[in-house]
Amino acid sequence: MITELEMGKGESELELGLGLSLGGGTPAKIGGGGAWGERGRLLTAKDFPSVGSKRAADSASHAGASPPRSSSQVVGWPPIGSHRMNSLVNNQATKSAREEEDAGKKKVNDDQPKDATKKVNGKVQVGFIKVNMDGVAIGRKVDLNAHSSYENLAQTLEDMFFRTNPGTIGLTGQFTKPLRLLDGSSEFVLTYEDKEGDWMLVGDVPWRMFTTSVKRLRVMKTSEANGLAARHQDPNERQRNQPM
Amino acid sequence: MNYFPDEVIEHVFDFVTSHKDRNAISLVCKSWYKIERYSRQRVFIGNCYATNPERLLRRFPCLKSLTLKGKPHFADFNLVPHEWGGFVQPWIEALARSRVGLEELRLKRMVVTDESLELLSRSFVNFKSLVLVSCEGFTTDGLASIAANCRHLRDLDLQENEIEDHRGQWLSCFPDTCTTLVTLNFACLEGETNLVALERLVARSPNLKSLKLNRAVPLDALARLMACAPQIVDLGVGSYENDPDSESYLKLKAAIKKCTSLRSLSGFLEAAPHCLSAFHPICHNLTSLNLSYAAEIHGSHLIKLIQHCKKLQRLWILDSIGDKGLEVVASTCKELQELRVFPSDLLGGGNTAVTEEGLVAISAGCPKLHSILYFCQQMTNAALVTVAKNCPNFIRFRLCILEPNKPDHVTSQPLDEGFGAIVKACKSLRRLSLSGLLTDQVFLYIGMYANQLEMLSIAFAGDTDKGMLYVLNGCKKMKKLEIRDSPFGDTALLADVSKYETMRSLWMSSCEVTLSGCKRLAEKAPWLNVEIINESDNNRMEQNGHEGRQKVDKLYLYRTVVGTRMDAPPFVWIL
């Protein structure tokens, strides 16, 4: 799973950077190790000791300044255009997905083999869509192409927002119990905005239809999601063209 | 010159084409200003918010070509929120109302909508050329309007845009009567392509010189396309996966041999390396090769291809070519002027990445090299000193050491001396990007020696405000300064406010400038737009009473003759 982090609205001064990991499942862990270890992971101030200490020193000299910027994880670095970055990341996703398939490890939940998904309907969903969660300052991005099912995606999101391993900066901090995003039993539900700008509950349409129509995701408090009925729409109806 | 009638002067001005020169002659006297403005056909606006459509049309009523740039450069790296601005709609509306005879529109980092494209396509009878670079906000429906309505379309060039693909049939919207295409580049489209419509379009476009396909165009289609466009000069290959024994591949080889005008090759968005040899027969003619998206091709295949490319002037490649591969480039490509080496594997390290050795080899082997963008794992001062000695003709020197703050890996020293050598030797240097461990010293060198420097990109560098001051005081020709994660603050920002009038823009993010510093600047310089991009909670900046001393996340300031812009989103404060 490949994730990219992005600043959203909120109070934290954390800047989150590009983290890559091989294969699916666990998110990139934050902390420890050399700068570019065997597994890609999010960079922290530990990796840039001079950055951390310099800035801490400078901040301290400003009387009454805001608290020193905490562990700089690096947004927008290395300076590669986002178009190129998407392409690079997609390539690595395909490569690792293929590697896993070859190794026979990957369980494909989709109704089509993952490799073909990219080409069968001709559409390659490029990389990232934004994910925001109610109450969390920082939005994230997730690569839909690296997922094959709703369960997959829910797991990724859960790891992103709720996993609090030692050394990991949990984005929400206060949530420690697992989230069941898809079965409606927890405090949160997963919703998405489709191409027509409507917000819908995730999970009602076939996975591939979902990936072609989703624009962005939001992990919403169940209490707020009451107004959102799951809509069962005719696929033909949903293929209205946008007005020119 | 004033003894000549205006028509004669105007005729002389026709030979003056560069924007800089035209701007200069318009300042000579009132009469020249007047003649120049009526005769200027190509207008370049480097920052769309520096002026507005009304002023543009008042001054240059006869314009035929407009180039506009929107978002600041760091938007490429996701540092600028999508909704920041740079909308082309008001420009197109104004141009349409004024009935100016627009023929060409070139946009970079702007927000373009389908509505804008539709309006554009219907408003200008002679519209010929649309070039969109790193733009967003539109879909293939917008392209369909352009295809359908622009009767004399010559160029449709889409470079690295974010385009929503609507499974539409935009290619079939080109009427059968459209035979004027010279450039068709849709490599950045991610969706399906109607291959039949594409082939028919290419077949009826005898003037087609540049064709860049997206990844949905497979090899057999490529073979057919090349067969009906042997006059092609610039080709972007889409998907390139096939069995080398197949009939398609044989047909492709035959078609390629006939493309004797082919000079530029790019794409290979999905590529199987063993088929690259099909292109070997035409390699000796190539002047430009871009394999920077071909992540699946390994170094050895790249090298085999490049060994045939003796006339190469421009090479964009991935670092999977390795230092050894760069040595081959150095010994083969003696005409090389521009090199870009991109990282292929962000997971880091690996034996195939490039180091300072590759850079030195290139500098030693390619005497005509003047532009370089080099991503690498490590660098040394000694290497940079050697490079400076070998290549004193650099115009653009952009070095990106992947790990921020990394020192000389042999001496553990900062890279001040290395970059210092570059700026001292390269007297024509116009653009410079720094990386690695750097102190204020490097900026002292830059201020002292980089007299022609127009654009400087700084990240994770410097110690104190002195660094930034050296640059602002020393680089007389500075136009665009962009800084991130460096300890420069209000003192440097405010030292010489009039300097910003001579610059197009200044970007500072994650530095030490404070809100009160920015406010003071805005007060002193009403002819500047001082924008604070504040993505965190808007209220927080004012909340805890230390308002003025809050550090500003992102500062973007630029000179303007039209004051505060009205289209800024809520998270952008214009002071």
Side-chain angles (χ1 to χ4, degrees):
Chain A
M1 162 202 53
I2 316 267
T3 64
E4 181 187 289
L5 308 173
E6 159 180 279
M7 282 284 268
K9 279 195 169 188
E11 37 155 359
S12 169
E13 285 188 292
L14 275 182
E15 291 178 88
L16 303 171
L18 181 67
L20 300 171
S21 64
L22 295 168
T26 38
K29 271 197 184 175
I30 304 172
W36 298 99
E38 281 158 20
R39 292 168 55 132
R41 52 173 188 64
L42 298 167
L43 307 171
T44 68
K46 282 190 206 156
D47 302 315
F48 313 132
S50 50
V51 176
S53 54
K54 239 196 299 201
R55 294 184 66 73
D58 285 338
S59 303
S61 65
H62 287 293
S66 53
R69 246 158 255 234
S70 53
S71 53
S72 323
Q73 289 144 302
V74 195
V75 171
W77 190 267
I80 298 174
S82 37
H83 190 266
R84 186 176 292 280
M85 189 75 99
N86 276 344
S87 173
L88 188 61
V89 162
N90 273 341
N91 270 318
Q92 290 186 303
T94 318
K95 244 194 233 174
S96 50
R98 273 201 209 134
E99 279 163 14
E100 286 198 2
E101 270 185 40
D102 291 345
K105 281 187 200 151
K106 195 167 174 90
K107 228 195 321 187
V108 181
N109 292 333
D110 203 54
D111 54 358
Q112 299 235 354
K114 183 153 197 296
D115 242 358
T117 306
K118 264 181 137 189
K119 295 185 188 146
V120 157
N121 58 1
K123 278 176 78 67
V124 174
Q125 179 113 16
V126 172
F128 302 99
I129 60 166
K130 296 185 192 177
V131 190
N132 284 87
M133 175 164 162
D134 286 359
V136 175
I138 298 147
R140 306 281 298 252
K141 276 186 176 178
V142 69
D143 180 7
L144 278 193
N145 228 6
H147 296 84
S148 50
S149 70
Y150 288 120
E151 282 71 34
N152 229 211
L153 177 64
Q155 186 61 53
T156 300
L157 295 179
E158 194 163 330
D159 291 345
M160 243 189 227
F161 288 102
F162 296 93
R163 183 62 49 84
T164 48
N165 292 322
T168 304
I169 297 172
L171 283 176
T172 53
Q174 67 263 45
F175 302 103
T176 48
K177 52 182 174 21
L179 240 242
R180 301 293 308 143
L181 282 174
L182 294 178
D183 65 12
S185 68
S186 83
E187 209 185 318
F188 290 90
V189 286
L190 185 56
T191 64
Y192 73 104
E193 183 182 10
D194 71 4
K195 286 196 149 82
E196 276 117 42
D198 302 320
W199 284 91
M200 328 260 281
L201 282 178
V202 162
D204 292 320
V205 300
W207 171 255
R208 251 178 322 111
M209 189 182 292
F210 167 72
T211 60
T212 57
S213 61
V214 62
K215 255 172 47 181
R216 54 186 166 141
L217 292 168
R218 182 173 156 202
V219 179
M220 201 185 282
K221 288 212 169 84
T222 312
S223 48
E224 287 193 20
N226 283 336
L228 282 188
R231 297 201 218 159
H232 297 273
Q233 273 187 304
D234 192 282
N236 293 331
E237 205 187 306
R238 290 179 57 72
Q239 276 173 20
R240 309 200 293 274
N241 286 333
Q242 283 197 0
M244 279 185 22
Chain B
M1 277 284 275
N2 279 335
Y3 304 121
F4 291 112
D6 287 358
E7 302 80 53
V8 173
I9 300 181
E10 191 181 315
H11 184 63
V12 173
F13 287 0
D14 280 349
F15 295 95
V16 181
T17 48
S18 98
H19 305 293
K20 272 191 190 145
D21 292 340
R22 285 234 143 198
N23 290 342
I25 62 181
S26 68
L27 292 175
V28 167
C29 63
K30 279 200 179 131
S31 138
W32 280 30
Y33 178 88
K34 184 168 152 234
I35 299 170
E36 196 283 318
R37 66 178 261 258
Y38 279 109
S39 62
R40 192 178 312 201
Q41 295 194 334
R42 312 180 67 93
V43 180
F44 170 84
I45 297 178
N47 174 4
C48 64
Y49 290 119
T51 182
N52 64 24
E54 290 69 43
R55 293 182 71 113
L56 167 70
L57 290 164
R58 257 206 313 271
R59 182 165 173 196
F60 300 116
C62 304
L63 76 91
K64 292 213 167 78
S65 161
L66 178 62
T67 302
L68 278 173
K69 292 190 180 181
K71 297 185 189 161
H73 174 232
F74 277 179
D76 286 353
F77 318 130
N78 288 327
L79 288 175
V80 177
H82 285 277
E83 306 81 7
W84 173 85
F87 307 103
V88 78
Q89 181 70 8
W91 293 86
I92 298 184
E93 279 173 5
L95 289 164
R97 272 196 305 269
S98 74
R99 321 250 190 104
V100 84
L102 192 69
E103 293 182 14
E104 176 180 73
L105 187 62
R106 308 169 72 97
L107 304 176
K108 187 165 185 180
R109 289 190 208 101
M110 294 202 67
V111 176
V112 179
T113 59
D114 288 344
E115 189 195 343
S116 308
L117 292 175
E118 160 92 25
L119 183 60
L120 178 69
S121 73
R122 292 198 186 282
S123 309
F124 308 103
V125 166
N126 283 326
F127 192 74
K128 294 194 173 68
S129 179
L130 181 63
V131 180
L132 302 177
V133 180
S134 301
C135 296
E136 56 174 355
F138 60 107
T139 77
T140 46
D141 294 346
L143 299 181
S145 335
I146 296 288
N149 303 328
C150 300
R151 305 263 173 94
H152 304 289
L153 195 68
R154 223 178 34 198
D155 308 308
L156 181 59
D157 190 355
L158 309 168
Q159 299 175 30
E160 307 206 336
N161 302 289
E162 278 194 31
I163 307 175
E164 219 174 275
D165 206 313
H166 276 181
R167 302 185 298 270
Q169 296 298 317
W170 69 280
L171 272 171
S172 31
C173 292
F174 283 100
D176 288 340
T177 47
C178 173
T179 57
T180 46
L181 274 183
V182 173
T183 303
L184 179 62
N185 173 5
F186 59 95
C188 60
L189 278 180
E190 291 293 337
E192 254 169 48
T193 294
N194 181 334
L195 296 174
V196 171
L198 175 63
E199 285 172 38
R200 288 178 56 215
L201 179 62
V202 170
R204 67 175 185 276
S205 304
N207 298 326
L208 192 69
K209 295 282 187 297
S210 172
L211 177 63
K212 292 185 180 164
L213 309 166
N214 73 345
R215 61 176 81 227
V217 180
L219 200 101
D220 51 335
L222 176 67
R224 288 193 296 273
L225 288 166
M226 290 183 79
C228 53
Q231 77 282 4
I232 204 95
V233 173
D234 177 13
L235 176 68
V237 171
S239 176
Y240 198 65
E241 297 189 319
N242 206 349
D243 173 5
D245 295 325
S246 72
E247 201 182 316
S248 303
Y249 182 65
L250 294 172
K251 284 197 180 140
L252 179 69
K253 276 174 58 168
I256 290 173
K257 284 215 181 88
K258 298 218 177 94
C259 294
T260 51
S261 305
L262 194 57
R263 296 289 173 273
S264 169
L265 196 56
S266 61
F268 297 94
L269 305 171
E270 285 176 9
H274 45 263
C275 300
L276 265 190
S277 51
F279 284 97
H280 289 180
I282 48 89
C283 280
H284 61 277
N285 284 330
L286 287 183
T287 55
S288 170
L289 182 60
N290 180 356
L291 295 171
S292 61
Y293 280 94
E296 315 234 347
I297 303 183
H298 292 293
S300 54
H301 295 281
L302 294 175
I303 292 172
K304 278 203 201 114
L305 186 77
I306 290 172
Q307 275 170 329
H308 293 87
C309 301
K310 295 195 173 15
K311 288 204 193 139
L312 218 54
Q313 293 172 16
R314 184 161 80 146
L315 176 62
W316 291 23
I317 199 119
L318 290 170
D319 65 2
S320 45
I321 194 175
D323 285 334
K324 289 281 171 270
L326 289 177
E327 282 166 28
V328 174
V329 173
S331 59
T332 310
C333 308
K334 295 302 183 187
E335 303 295 313
L336 197 67
Q337 297 176 20
E338 178 186 331
L339 174 67
R340 295 197 191 188
V341 181
F342 294 96
S344 58
D345 184 1
L346 294 169
L347 293 172
N351 306 326
T352 52
V354 297
T355 70
E356 73 276 12
E357 290 181 17
L359 183 61
V360 170
I362 291 284
S363 72
C366 304
K368 299 192 180 174
L369 192 66
H370 59 58
S371 293
I372 189 155
L373 169 61
Y374 196 78
F375 284 84
C376 60
Q377 300 287 340
Q378 61 189 43
M379 189 49 57
T380 64
N381 283 308
L384 288 174
V385 168
T386 307
V387 168
K389 216 166 15 169
N390 291 339
C391 281
N393 298 323
F394 274 121
I395 300 175
R396 293 170 206 99
F397 189 85
R398 294 155 73 188
L399 181 66
C400 181
I401 302 163
L402 288 165
E403 187 187 325
N405 278 306
K406 189 161 181 178
D408 178 321
H409 75 92
V410 169
T411 65
S412 299
Q413 292 298 300
L415 290 170
D416 302 333
E417 297 306 311
F419 280 105
I422 294 282
V423 294
K424 197 166 171 195
C426 303
K427 307 210 188 301
S428 316
L429 195 68
R430 291 205 304 253
R431 182 168 180 185
L432 178 65
S433 299
L434 306 170
S435 59
L437 182 64
L438 296 165
T439 72
D440 285 346
Q441 184 69 15
V442 72
F443 299 110
L444 175 65
Y445 290 140
I446 292 173
M448 254 165 69
Y449 296 113
N451 301 321
Q452 302 300 316
L453 197 63
E454 295 177 3
M455 183 169 177
L456 178 62
S457 308
I458 301 170
F460 307 101
D463 303 313
T464 72
D465 280 335
K466 279 205 213 132
M468 185 168 162
L469 284 169
Y470 291 140
V471 171
L472 290 175
N473 292 333
C475 300
K476 299 294 174 210
K477 300 231 176 141
M478 184 60 65
K479 284 210 307 234
K480 286 188 281 183
L481 182 57
E482 47 186 26
I483 307 173
R484 62 167 294 180
D485 293 275
S486 301
F488 306 134
D490 296 341
T491 309
L493 182 69
L494 293 164
D496 178 9
V497 167
S498 62
K499 173 73 177 173
Y500 304 126
E501 198 175 355
T502 66
M503 288 169 53
R504 185 187 297 170
S505 64
L506 169 67
W507 169 280
M508 292 180 77
S509 59
S510 305
C511 296
E512 302 290 319
V513 292
T514 69
L515 183 56
S516 67
C518 295
K519 283 187 174 167
R520 264 184 293 155
L521 175 61
E523 276 162 37
K524 284 189 182 185
W527 35 266
L528 274 185
N529 273 355
V530 179
E531 297 193 6
I532 311 288
I533 299 170
N534 189 23
E535 287 170 288
S536 39
D537 208 331
N538 273 335
N539 295 330
R540 193 182 60 81
M541 280 213 95
E542 322 232 345
Q543 235 169 30
N544 58 7
H546 293 300
E547 180 211 298
R549 283 177 287 195
Q550 283 292 338
K551 294 222 191 86
V552 156
D553 283 341
K554 293 169 185 171
L555 163 67
Y556 180 54
L557 62 87
Y558 51 89
R559 65 185 176 191
T560 177
V561 292
V562 293
T564 306
R565 61 184 174 110
M566 291 303 149
D567 61 0
F571 56 80
V572 173
W573 298 354
I574 307 186
L575 301 177

